[in-house]
Amino acid sequence: MYFEFSEEQQSVRETARKFAEERIAPIQEVDEKKGIFRRELIAEMGKLGFWGAIIPEEYGGSNIGFLGAVIITEELARISASYSGHFVSQTVGPGLTILRQGTESQKIKYVPGLVNGDLIGSFASTEPNTGSDVASMKMTAKRNEKGFVLNGTKTWITNATVADVCLIFAYTDKEKKHHGMSCFLVDMQNNSGISTHPIEKLGLSCSIAGEIIFQDVQISPESMLGKEGSGFPILMEMLNSTRLFAAARAMGVGRACLEASVKYAQEREQFGQPLGKFQMIQEQIAEMYVEHEAAKLLVYQVASNKDRGKQGASDVSVAKYYACESAVKAADMTLKIFGSYGYSME
Ligand SMILES: Cc1cc2nc3c(=O)[nH]c(=O)nc-3n(C[C@H](O)[C@H](O)[C@H](O)COP(=O)(O)OP(=O)(O)OC[C@H]3O[C@@H](n4cnc5c(N)ncnc54)[C@H](O)[C@@H]3O)c2cc1C
């Protein structure tokens, strides 16, 4: 492929691959079955500089850029789709948003901790009756003499039960529609009025998603991130960045499928020869390879554009769509190439 990486980006890839193979691969099969989330791994990856890839050095980051961050995500996803998602909940979501919108004291309080993994981050837009249509959310933040009072339910929130800090989107003035939504930084631990519980999922079991209920939660005026009424554009800008990382995760999953299929097709024999000798299997693997290479180019290009200050929302969506569709197709083909073993939990 013609995309060229700097020495720094190549070295980051090697570090991420080594970490994923040595620290996550040995435990993940059992952990995925049991739904175990290991907070210490987030801290270890933080100390290796993973979460700080898009954060300036003065806040603890390495500032190697979106392309570097995408490479790390891809390498983690190749081994564990669960742990590769933490880029979004640590720094692409909260960290970067605080950096762009926050006051100096908000930045100092939260960003270094999210970067080094001592703090677990999260962001909450989705509600039981609010998914794609984010403006339909019901959660309110009512002003009082001590700041704001939060009431409402968020659901499907990554890290809901383990987060230290959450970026909450709520209406300060529902009458104003989009212009009445605001964003808040909420400390999640030991905060009376907040209750959480996990949601059982089909997969990604090492990554927790759950519901958060806010019942008369008093927060200070300093909890507001950005200006009152600016929650909707803050959310849109954040989602534009998180989409790229959904694409990078899919790309890593696509590569894992391709590698597993090639290996299995070389080892498994039927009718007196390896599966890989059959033209139909070759065709499936070739298709997987072509689509994976195309996804890589799209995702790397969008990341590299972002590093050069170009924020094309449609380009990110194209990359996300294509990388995700090709990963799902690769998983489907891999399952078939593995025959009955594709259906086992082994
Ligand atoms: C593992 C996981 C982790 C998550 N983590 C977080 C998190 O950390 N924070 C957070 O806020 N949310 C999180 N979410 C929620 C996620 O953002 C929502 O699932 C997403 O916004 C879609 O909303 P929904 O699931 O309610 O689907 P819906 O919006 O109800 O959509 C249902 C279906 O209708 C389609 N649809 C919707 N609108 C249209 C339309 N206009 N035209 C055509 N089709 C349409 C959708 O594509 C989908 O197929 C997470 C979800 C999952 C599964």
PDB file of all heavy atoms in Angstrom, residues 123-126 130-133 155-158 201 204 209, ligand 1:
ATOM      1  N   PHE A 123     -18.921   9.306  28.254  1.00  0.00           N
ATOM      2  CA  PHE A 123     -19.785  10.414  27.834  1.00  0.00           C
ATOM      3  C   PHE A 123     -21.195   9.865  27.646  1.00  0.00           C
ATOM      4  O   PHE A 123     -21.381   8.697  27.268  1.00  0.00           O
ATOM      5  CB  PHE A 123     -19.282  11.090  26.542  1.00  0.00           C
ATOM      6  CG  PHE A 123     -19.322  10.232  25.322  1.00  0.00           C
ATOM      7  CD1 PHE A 123     -20.466  10.173  24.515  1.00  0.00           C
ATOM      8  CD2 PHE A 123     -18.228   9.470  24.973  1.00  0.00           C
ATOM      9  CE1 PHE A 123     -20.502   9.381  23.389  1.00  0.00           C
ATOM     10  CE2 PHE A 123     -18.250   8.662  23.843  1.00  0.00           C
ATOM     11  CZ  PHE A 123     -19.386   8.620  23.048  1.00  0.00           C
ATOM     12  N   ALA A 124     -22.192  10.695  27.921  1.00  0.00           N
ATOM     13  CA  ALA A 124     -23.560  10.185  27.943  1.00  0.00           C
ATOM     14  C   ALA A 124     -24.521  11.100  27.194  1.00  0.00           C
ATOM     15  O   ALA A 124     -24.840  12.197  27.661  1.00  0.00           O
ATOM     16  CB  ALA A 124     -24.016  10.002  29.385  1.00  0.00           C
ATOM     17  N   SER A 125     -24.938  10.588  26.047  1.00  0.00           N
ATOM     18  CA  SER A 125     -25.955  11.285  25.273  1.00  0.00           C
ATOM     19  C   SER A 125     -27.220  10.415  25.193  1.00  0.00           C
ATOM     20  O   SER A 125     -28.338  10.881  25.411  1.00  0.00           O
ATOM     21  CB  SER A 125     -25.379  11.558  23.870  1.00  0.00           C
ATOM     22  OG  SER A 125     -26.367  11.557  22.911  1.00  0.00           O
ATOM     23  N   THR A 126     -27.014   9.119  24.925  1.00  0.00           N
ATOM     24  CA  THR A 126     -28.138   8.203  24.670  1.00  0.00           C
ATOM     25  C   THR A 126     -29.046   8.022  25.902  1.00  0.00           C
ATOM     26  O   THR A 126     -28.566   7.965  27.026  1.00  0.00           O
ATOM     27  CB  THR A 126     -27.572   6.828  24.232  1.00  0.00           C
ATOM     28  OG1 THR A 126     -26.671   7.041  23.151  1.00  0.00           O
ATOM     29  CG2 THR A 126     -28.663   5.878  23.788  1.00  0.00           C
ATOM     30  N   THR A 130     -34.017   7.880  23.287  1.00  0.00           N
ATOM     31  CA  THR A 130     -33.208   8.793  22.471  1.00  0.00           C
ATOM     32  C   THR A 130     -31.934   8.101  22.020  1.00  0.00           C
ATOM     33  O   THR A 130     -31.049   7.823  22.844  1.00  0.00           O
ATOM     34  CB  THR A 130     -32.839  10.054  23.285  1.00  0.00           C
ATOM     35  OG1 THR A 130     -34.038  10.754  23.601  1.00  0.00           O
ATOM     36  CG2 THR A 130     -31.927  10.980  22.492  1.00  0.00           C
ATOM     37  N   GLY A 131     -31.873   7.809  20.718  1.00  0.00           N
ATOM     38  CA  GLY A 131     -30.657   7.221  20.160  1.00  0.00           C
ATOM     39  C   GLY A 131     -30.087   8.136  19.102  1.00  0.00           C
ATOM     40  O   GLY A 131     -29.473   9.164  19.411  1.00  0.00           O
ATOM     41  N   SER A 132     -30.355   7.832  17.832  1.00  0.00           N
ATOM     42  CA  SER A 132     -29.846   8.647  16.725  1.00  0.00           C
ATOM     43  C   SER A 132     -30.331  10.098  16.827  1.00  0.00           C
ATOM     44  O   SER A 132     -29.598  11.039  16.529  1.00  0.00           O
ATOM     45  CB  SER A 132     -30.321   8.072  15.388  1.00  0.00           C
ATOM     46  OG  SER A 132     -30.074   6.688  15.327  1.00  0.00           O
ATOM     47  N   ASP A 133     -31.571  10.268  17.249  1.00  0.00           N
ATOM     48  CA  ASP A 133     -32.168  11.608  17.339  1.00  0.00           C
ATOM     49  C   ASP A 133     -31.805  12.236  18.684  1.00  0.00           C
ATOM     50  O   ASP A 133     -32.636  12.329  19.597  1.00  0.00           O
ATOM     51  CB  ASP A 133     -33.696  11.454  17.179  1.00  0.00           C
ATOM     52  CG  ASP A 133     -34.423  12.783  17.251  1.00  0.00           C
ATOM     53  OD1 ASP A 133     -33.761  13.842  17.180  1.00  0.00           O
ATOM     54  OD2 ASP A 133     -35.663  12.751  17.385  1.00  0.00           O
ATOM     55  N   THR A 155     -28.595   5.741  28.933  1.00  0.00           N
ATOM     56  CA  THR A 155     -28.418   4.298  28.780  1.00  0.00           C
ATOM     57  C   THR A 155     -27.402   3.982  27.693  1.00  0.00           C
ATOM     58  O   THR A 155     -27.056   4.849  26.899  1.00  0.00           O
ATOM     59  CB  THR A 155     -29.778   3.607  28.517  1.00  0.00           C
ATOM     60  OG1 THR A 155     -29.606   2.195  28.687  1.00  0.00           O
ATOM     61  CG2 THR A 155     -30.309   3.880  27.114  1.00  0.00           C
ATOM     62  N   TRP A 156     -26.932   2.762  27.701  1.00  0.00           N
ATOM     63  CA  TRP A 156     -25.898   2.303  26.759  1.00  0.00           C
ATOM     64  C   TRP A 156     -24.615   3.117  26.888  1.00  0.00           C
ATOM     65  O   TRP A 156     -23.938   3.386  25.897  1.00  0.00           O
ATOM     66  CB  TRP A 156     -26.403   2.355  25.300  1.00  0.00           C
ATOM     67  CG  TRP A 156     -27.259   1.188  24.973  1.00  0.00           C
ATOM     68  CD1 TRP A 156     -28.605   1.190  24.826  1.00  0.00           C
ATOM     69  CD2 TRP A 156     -26.835  -0.174  24.816  1.00  0.00           C
ATOM     70  NE1 TRP A 156     -29.052  -0.085  24.583  1.00  0.00           N
ATOM     71  CE2 TRP A 156     -27.986  -0.934  24.566  1.00  0.00           C
ATOM     72  CE3 TRP A 156     -25.604  -0.827  24.872  1.00  0.00           C
ATOM     73  CZ2 TRP A 156     -27.941  -2.326  24.363  1.00  0.00           C
ATOM     74  CZ3 TRP A 156     -25.555  -2.197  24.666  1.00  0.00           C
ATOM     75  CH2 TRP A 156     -26.716  -2.926  24.412  1.00  0.00           C
ATOM     76  N   ILE A 157     -24.292   3.507  28.113  1.00  0.00           N
ATOM     77  CA  ILE A 157     -23.110   4.344  28.318  1.00  0.00           C
ATOM     78  C   ILE A 157     -21.893   3.464  28.622  1.00  0.00           C
ATOM     79  O   ILE A 157     -21.881   2.726  29.622  1.00  0.00           O
ATOM     80  CB  ILE A 157     -23.342   5.367  29.460  1.00  0.00           C
ATOM     81  CG1 ILE A 157     -24.646   6.152  29.206  1.00  0.00           C
ATOM     82  CG2 ILE A 157     -22.131   6.288  29.615  1.00  0.00           C
ATOM     83  CD1 ILE A 157     -24.775   6.792  27.834  1.00  0.00           C
ATOM     84  N   THR A 158     -20.895   3.556  27.749  1.00  0.00           N
ATOM     85  CA  THR A 158     -19.670   2.792  27.968  1.00  0.00           C
ATOM     86  C   THR A 158     -19.021   3.273  29.262  1.00  0.00           C
ATOM     87  O   THR A 158     -18.897   4.478  29.493  1.00  0.00           O
ATOM     88  CB  THR A 158     -18.715   2.969  26.769  1.00  0.00           C
ATOM     89  OG1 THR A 158     -19.399   2.536  25.599  1.00  0.00           O
ATOM     90  CG2 THR A 158     -17.435   2.165  26.949  1.00  0.00           C
ATOM     91  N   LYS A 201     -24.686  -7.645  27.129  1.00  0.00           N
ATOM     92  CA  LYS A 201     -24.583  -7.446  25.673  1.00  0.00           C
ATOM     93  C   LYS A 201     -24.281  -8.762  24.951  1.00  0.00           C
ATOM     94  O   LYS A 201     -23.889  -9.739  25.582  1.00  0.00           O
ATOM     95  CB  LYS A 201     -23.445  -6.467  25.342  1.00  0.00           C
ATOM     96  CG  LYS A 201     -23.474  -5.156  26.124  1.00  0.00           C
ATOM     97  CD  LYS A 201     -22.539  -4.124  25.533  1.00  0.00           C
ATOM     98  CE  LYS A 201     -21.045  -4.288  25.764  1.00  0.00           C
ATOM     99  NZ  LYS A 201     -20.568  -4.897  26.973  1.00  0.00           N
ATOM    100  N   LEU A 204     -18.384  -7.800  23.079  1.00  0.00           N
ATOM    101  CA  LEU A 204     -17.592  -6.725  23.711  1.00  0.00           C
ATOM    102  C   LEU A 204     -17.733  -6.797  25.230  1.00  0.00           C
ATOM    103  O   LEU A 204     -17.942  -5.788  25.894  1.00  0.00           O
ATOM    104  CB  LEU A 204     -18.064  -5.343  23.238  1.00  0.00           C
ATOM    105  CG  LEU A 204     -17.947  -4.990  21.761  1.00  0.00           C
ATOM    106  CD1 LEU A 204     -18.568  -3.637  21.478  1.00  0.00           C
ATOM    107  CD2 LEU A 204     -16.492  -4.989  21.305  1.00  0.00           C
ATOM    108  N   ALA A 209     -21.050  -1.580  29.346  1.00  0.00           N
ATOM    109  CA  ALA A 209     -22.013  -0.532  28.957  1.00  0.00           C
ATOM    110  C   ALA A 209     -23.157  -0.620  29.958  1.00  0.00           C
ATOM    111  O   ALA A 209     -23.481  -1.711  30.443  1.00  0.00           O
ATOM    112  CB  ALA A 209     -22.522  -0.748  27.546  1.00  0.00           C
TER     113      ALA A 209
HETATM  114  C1  LIG B   1     -21.714  -1.166  22.817  1.00  0.00           C
HETATM  115  C2  LIG B   1     -22.347   0.191  22.806  1.00  0.00           C
HETATM  116  C3  LIG B   1     -21.730   1.242  23.474  1.00  0.00           C
HETATM  117  C4  LIG B   1     -22.309   2.506  23.476  1.00  0.00           C
HETATM  118  N1  LIG B   1     -21.699   3.535  24.155  1.00  0.00           N
HETATM  119  C5  LIG B   1     -22.308   4.748  24.249  1.00  0.00           C
HETATM  120  C6  LIG B   1     -21.747   5.809  25.039  1.00  0.00           C
HETATM  121  O1  LIG B   1     -20.661   5.659  25.636  1.00  0.00           O
HETATM  122  N2  LIG B   1     -22.431   6.978  25.131  1.00  0.00           N
HETATM  123  C7  LIG B   1     -23.611   7.186  24.499  1.00  0.00           C
HETATM  124  O2  LIG B   1     -24.167   8.273  24.618  1.00  0.00           O
HETATM  125  N3  LIG B   1     -24.179   6.203  23.728  1.00  0.00           N
HETATM  126  C8  LIG B   1     -23.560   5.002  23.594  1.00  0.00           C
HETATM  127  N4  LIG B   1     -24.130   3.984  22.837  1.00  0.00           N
HETATM  128  C9  LIG B   1     -25.415   4.229  22.197  1.00  0.00           C
HETATM  129  C10 LIG B   1     -25.290   4.520  20.715  1.00  0.00           C
HETATM  130  O3  LIG B   1     -24.728   5.784  20.534  1.00  0.00           O
HETATM  131  C11 LIG B   1     -26.690   4.388  20.140  1.00  0.00           C
HETATM  132  O4  LIG B   1     -26.944   3.014  20.060  1.00  0.00           O
HETATM  133  C12 LIG B   1     -26.854   5.058  18.799  1.00  0.00           C
HETATM  134  O5  LIG B   1     -26.898   6.439  18.971  1.00  0.00           O
HETATM  135  C13 LIG B   1     -28.111   4.580  18.076  1.00  0.00           C
HETATM  136  O6  LIG B   1     -29.221   4.754  18.873  1.00  0.00           O
HETATM  137  P1  LIG B   1     -30.263   3.552  19.170  1.00  0.00           P
HETATM  138  O7  LIG B   1     -29.473   2.353  19.539  1.00  0.00           O
HETATM  139  O8  LIG B   1     -31.246   4.062  20.129  1.00  0.00           O
HETATM  140  O9  LIG B   1     -30.923   3.273  17.781  1.00  0.00           O
HETATM  141  P2  LIG B   1     -32.119   4.066  17.075  1.00  0.00           P
HETATM  142  O10 LIG B   1     -31.760   5.490  16.913  1.00  0.00           O
HETATM  143  O11 LIG B   1     -33.392   3.751  17.760  1.00  0.00           O
HETATM  144  O12 LIG B   1     -32.110   3.385  15.651  1.00  0.00           O
HETATM  145  C14 LIG B   1     -32.683   2.089  15.413  1.00  0.00           C
HETATM  146  C15 LIG B   1     -32.519   1.767  13.941  1.00  0.00           C
HETATM  147  O13 LIG B   1     -33.167   2.766  13.146  1.00  0.00           O
HETATM  148  C16 LIG B   1     -32.253   3.384  12.258  1.00  0.00           C
HETATM  149  N5  LIG B   1     -32.554   4.802  12.122  1.00  0.00           N
HETATM  150  C17 LIG B   1     -32.590   5.754  13.079  1.00  0.00           C
HETATM  151  N6  LIG B   1     -32.884   6.933  12.553  1.00  0.00           N
HETATM  152  C18 LIG B   1     -33.082   6.750  11.229  1.00  0.00           C
HETATM  153  C19 LIG B   1     -33.390   7.600  10.125  1.00  0.00           C
HETATM  154  N7  LIG B   1     -33.572   8.916  10.294  1.00  0.00           N
HETATM  155  N8  LIG B   1     -33.496   7.042   8.903  1.00  0.00           N
HETATM  156  C20 LIG B   1     -33.304   5.713   8.725  1.00  0.00           C
HETATM  157  N9  LIG B   1     -32.986   4.867   9.701  1.00  0.00           N
HETATM  158  C21 LIG B   1     -32.870   5.376  10.950  1.00  0.00           C
HETATM  159  C22 LIG B   1     -30.885   3.151  12.871  1.00  0.00           C
HETATM  160  O14 LIG B   1     -29.846   3.167  11.895  1.00  0.00           O
HETATM  161  C23 LIG B   1     -31.054   1.776  13.488  1.00  0.00           C
HETATM  162  O15 LIG B   1     -30.891   0.785  12.503  1.00  0.00           O
HETATM  163  C24 LIG B   1     -23.539   2.725  22.804  1.00  0.00           C
HETATM  164  C25 LIG B   1     -24.144   1.656  22.113  1.00  0.00           C
HETATM  165  C26 LIG B   1     -23.567   0.416  22.113  1.00  0.00           C
HETATM  166  C27 LIG B   1     -24.262  -0.708  21.378  1.00  0.00           C
END
